[in-house]
Amino acid sequence: MQRTIFSEDHEAFRASVAEFVKRSIEPNAERFIEERAIDRETWLAAGELGYLGLGVPEEFGGSDAGDYRFAAVLGEELAKASAAVASSFGIHYDVCAPYLVELTTDEQKRRWLPKFCTGELVTAIGMTEPSGGSDLAALKTTAVRDGDDWIINGSKTFITNGFNADLVIVAARTSPEKKAKGITLFAVETGMAGFTRGRKLDKVGQPESDTAELFFDNVRVPDANRIGETDRGFIAMMERLPQERIGAAISNTAHAAAILDETLAYAKERKAFGQQIGSFQYNKFLFAELVTKLEVTQAFVDQGIAAHAEGKLSAVDAAKAKWWSAQVQNEILDACVQLHGGYGYMREYRVARAWMDARVTKIWAGSNEIMKELIGRELGL
């Protein structure tokens, strides 16, 4: 179906991002996988083009797009190339940016945002803990006030960009007796004594997205690095999770679409028993089902993008888009592997890597089960 949410300006921006992907991402894809990270040169290239500061005011070095649809276009084009690249950049420009733009003081903005926009300062967000998973209210990392500073102790895990980030937004418990209402956010920066990182985690997929454990051993963080109000961190996270989840849905859908297109082309070329494998009735029907399911998903995600651009996306609708797109993405990619036969199980084929990369989307940004719990509560259950 014809998509209707993007204007000529959005499509011109899409062409720019596609050129960036062709020039800076695709030629380096294998190296990123081998090194298990995206190099800083690529971050700087993205910054130079204004991609990292889409949501940042111009006075602090951003491009201030003023329209979430530009971020959606960027996410789609990156995801077509690699789910991991889309994830790493998305954590920075789509997930961390709202915290640093909306919750910080002018002094903090001047200190962090210019380099955030250029790619000189890469960010991550430290929510998930070894014992917590999707239950953010149960986090155990603590921050205790000590004069003009806070002393942070604890750990985080599964942190995208965690190994190379220059600044990590860390959620810590500041008033244990208040439970969810006693969490505060802090900017922990590289070089702070007691802040260390574990190894790059060995994931099933998305190796080029550096993911790490983070450890805080009496890390002294000045109150000038507190982000937002004390004990308001949980609310701040809940308010910004819908953007993270619609961003995940955008990436999920674009990633699945790219691999499905490649698989359709393969099915037209590959022959078995004297005919194209795509012409067998079962495969033809399967493609019909996959294309329809993808386009229906895209239509819902597009409505989520449009709603968010107007500031009207609800947490429940974002949850619907996140879990459904992840489910459809995984169904499509599993079918694509099957259609490639034995080749679909070979790592050198993009379909195999995409299949591995996609599995985590049903887990991160809040597991699909948590998304269904949120939707069920909204139904009064």
Side-chain angles (χ1 to χ4, degrees), residues 314-327:
S314 71
V316 169
D317 284 343
K320 292 173 184 175
K322 186 273 172 185
W323 92 260
W324 179 255
S325 64
Q327 182 67 30

Side-chain angles (χ1 to χ4, degrees), residues 110-354:
R110 287 192 295 270
R111 184 154 39 111
W112 296 322
L113 288 178
K115 290 185 178 181
F116 175 95
C117 294
T118 62
E120 296 172 85
L121 185 146
V122 172
T123 58
I125 187 161
M127 294 185 185
T128 306
E129 297 189 348
S131 61
S134 295
D135 186 4
L136 298 180
L139 60 82
K140 296 180 179 179
T141 297
T142 60
V144 178
R145 190 70 186 254
D146 183 28
D148 292 333
D149 300 326
W150 296 83
I151 308 301
I152 298 180
N153 283 283
S155 64
K156 303 289 180 178
T157 194
F158 310 138
I159 306 305
T160 302
N161 296 342
F163 197 83
N164 290 307
D166 304 291
L167 182 152
V168 182
I169 300 169
V170 175
R173 190 171 295 285
T174 44
S175 298
E177 71 282 1
K178 294 182 181 180
K179 298 183 179 179
K181 294 181 180 180
I183 294 170
T184 305
L185 303 177
F186 299 90
V188 177
E189 300 178 75
T190 294
M192 287 184 168
F195 172 38
T196 59
R197 309 162 206 252
R199 59 192 171 85
K200 291 181 184 177
L201 296 175
D202 186 13
K203 308 188 298 294
V204 170
Q206 301 198 22
E208 62 269 53
S209 167
D210 73 277
T211 307
E213 299 167 305
L214 308 179
F215 302 100
F216 310 95
D217 182 10
N218 290 322
V219 180
R220 183 172 291 275
V221 178
D223 190 56
N225 276 35
R226 173 173 46 82
I227 296 175
E229 297 178 37
T230 302
D231 292 343
R232 296 276 295 177
F234 185 77
I235 293 172
M237 290 188 288
M238 292 303 101
E239 289 173 343
R240 286 156 187 81
L241 278 173
Q243 177 158 309
E244 179 177 354
R245 287 166 180 163
I246 194 64
I250 290 164
S251 177
N252 296 345
T253 308
H255 183 238
I259 304 303
L260 182 57
D261 283 346
E262 292 179 13
T263 304
L264 181 58
Y266 177 83
K268 291 177 179 178
E269 296 173 1
R270 178 74 172 174
K271 290 186 177 181
F273 304 103
Q275 63 186 95
Q276 298 172 345
I277 63 169
S279 67
F280 291 113
Q281 186 182 63
Y282 177 85
N283 290 342
K284 188 184 299 182
F285 282 13
L286 177 59
F287 274 113
E289 292 172 8
L290 297 177
V291 167
T292 302
K293 187 172 288 188
L294 180 65
E295 292 191 8
V296 170
T297 302
Q298 186 70 74
F300 186 81
V301 172
D302 280 357
Q303 288 302 302
I305 295 170
H308 192 49
E310 296 178 2
K312 298 178 180 178
L313 179 66
S314 71
V316 169
D317 284 343
K320 292 173 184 175
K322 186 273 172 185
W323 92 260
W324 179 255
S325 64
Q327 182 67 30
V328 168
Q329 175 193 28
N330 276 268
E331 289 176 8
I332 288 174
L333 294 181
D334 192 71
C336 288
V337 167
Q338 191 73 16
L339 285 159
H340 275 80
Y343 294 107
Y345 204 60
M346 301 296 108
R347 285 180 183 266
E348 63 260 34
Y349 274 70
R350 206 162 91 96
V351 65
R353 297 199 297 269

